Amino acid sequence: MRFEHTRHCFFIALLLATAVAAQTRRVVAISHRGEHLHHPENTMPAFEEAIRVGADFIEVDVQTTSDGKLVLSHDSTVERCTNGKGRVSEMTFDQVEALDAGIKTGPEFAGTKVPTFDEALDLARGKIGIYVDVKNASAQDLVSHIDGHGMTGHVVIYCRLNLAKQIQALNPRLKVMPESNSVENSKLLIEQLHPKVIAFGAGDFKPEIIAVVKQANAEVYVDRMGTTDAPEGWQSAIDDGADGIQTDRPGPLVEYLRQKGYK
């Protein structure tokens, strides 16, 4: 009888410990290009909606105009998302600013502008973190803008190894976030950058690579888009070690994380 009682108590304690662990573990929600399924991607309305639904980060894509201004555009050209044509790097800021970045999403967004990186930083300060996807920008420009807006401790910067080194040399407090790719590459990144977080896509989110990153006490941020951007895919990522999930569905993800005690 005493053995049965002890075993019963043990299982209760185990269940309680598991519940507490789930509640104390935090997983961040990263809103891919803002909330872009119902708002123009990489625009202020998309970012404002991501803030409203409770995301932890907005993901923004940074490009540089021909006259050195930092603007937000996933593509190197403006055709897909605006009423204009041309490469961002060959356009002046005035030319980019004249574009309509909302009309292709719907008439209710007509007149929406391509935001500057400064505008996104201003909006985010005190409200949300920024996951900076560097498409075309220098380390000096990135660091000066981020530091200048008081966002040094509230960004992660997704970039290649060489740019990450340049950023760290300018401000070691900034959190660079390289892509894992493989076990070998992850070990190299850890050795050279000692990053606090490493990014994973669907193709490299594998146990052996995750283990290397976790052993280095770095966090794991993984993309969950398409068919995996749903509760089953989110929970699978969390079970495999994800500390952050990039999603096209920030509202539902935030709600799921709250229900499960991860947020």
Side-chain angles (χ1 to χ4, degrees):
M1 181 68 72
R2 183 177 298 174
F3 172 76
E4 289 297 328
H5 176 73
T6 302
R7 188 173 65 172
H8 179 68
C9 292
F10 171 79
F11 282 122
I12 290 176
L14 183 61
L15 288 171
L16 287 172
T18 302
V20 169
Q23 290 170 355
T24 55
R25 181 179 171 193
R26 188 166 184 268
V27 178
V28 299
I30 303 154
S31 188
H32 185 223
R33 306 180 198 174
E35 196 296 304
H36 72 94
L37 295 186
H38 306 98
H39 301 78
E41 68 176 57
N42 269 310
T43 66
M44 301 303 275
F47 302 149
E48 289 164 353
E49 180 64 9
I51 292 170
R52 188 190 71 79
V53 301
D56 299 286
F57 286 88
I58 49 172
E59 185 259 358
V60 308
D61 299 288
V62 181
Q63 305 269 3
T64 306
T65 64
S66 64
D67 49 351
K69 301 290 186 180
L70 300 187
V71 296
L72 305 184
S73 172
H74 175 271
D75 300 355
S76 59
T77 59
V78 300
E79 282 86 339
R80 180 174 63 86
C81 294
T82 79
N83 62 341
K85 293 182 179 180
R87 297 184 66 83
V88 176
S89 62
E90 296 172 357
M91 302 173 74
T92 65
F93 173 66
D94 287 344
Q95 290 173 320
V96 172
E97 191 178 37
L99 299 173
D100 189 325
I103 190 63
K104 287 190 174 182
T105 300
E108 67 273 27
F109 295 110
T112 300
K113 300 297 184 184
V114 174
T116 64
F117 188 35
D118 285 330
E119 288 173 327
L121 288 163
D122 273 339
L123 175 69
R125 189 172 57 244
K127 300 173 185 172
I128 198 168
I130 298 186
Y131 177 126
V132 182
D133 188 338
V134 184
K135 300 299 186 186
N136 175 29
S138 71
Q140 182 62 62
D141 282 345
L142 291 165
V143 172
S144 63
H145 283 260
I146 292 167
D147 288 352
H149 286 271
M151 287 290 286
T152 304
H154 306 284
V155 301
V156 292
I157 306 172
Y158 176 72
C159 59
R160 296 185 181 276
L161 176 60
N162 287 340
L163 183 59
K165 286 181 177 179
Q166 293 170 27
I167 291 168
Q168 285 189 334
L170 291 168
N171 186 347
R173 293 183 298 135
L174 281 168
K175 191 182 290 186
V176 295
M177 180 179 58
E179 176 81 29
S180 58
N181 292 323
S182 67
V183 168
E184 294 73 19
N185 188 63
S186 295
K187 288 180 177 178
L188 176 67
L189 296 172
I190 290 163
E191 179 185 344
Q192 298 199 16
L193 297 173
H194 306 289
K196 295 180 180 178
V197 58
I198 291 182
F200 284 74
D204 49 20
F205 194 59
K206 299 175 180 177
E208 62 271 23
I209 308 177
I210 296 167
V212 169
V213 174
K214 290 290 186 178
Q215 286 166 10
N217 294 317
E219 294 189 325
V220 169
Y221 286 5
V222 65
D223 296 345
R224 276 292 181 261
M225 296 163 195
T227 58
T228 61
D229 203 0
E232 184 177 338
W234 303 331
Q235 190 60 54
S236 173
I238 293 167
D239 291 343
D240 288 342
D243 302 290
I245 297 173
Q246 182 168 208
T247 178
D248 289 325
R249 305 175 62 220
L253 173 59
V254 168
E255 183 179 352
Y256 181 82
L257 294 175
R258 284 175 176 161
Q259 287 176 350
K260 295 295 183 178
Y262 296 115
K263 184 171 170 58

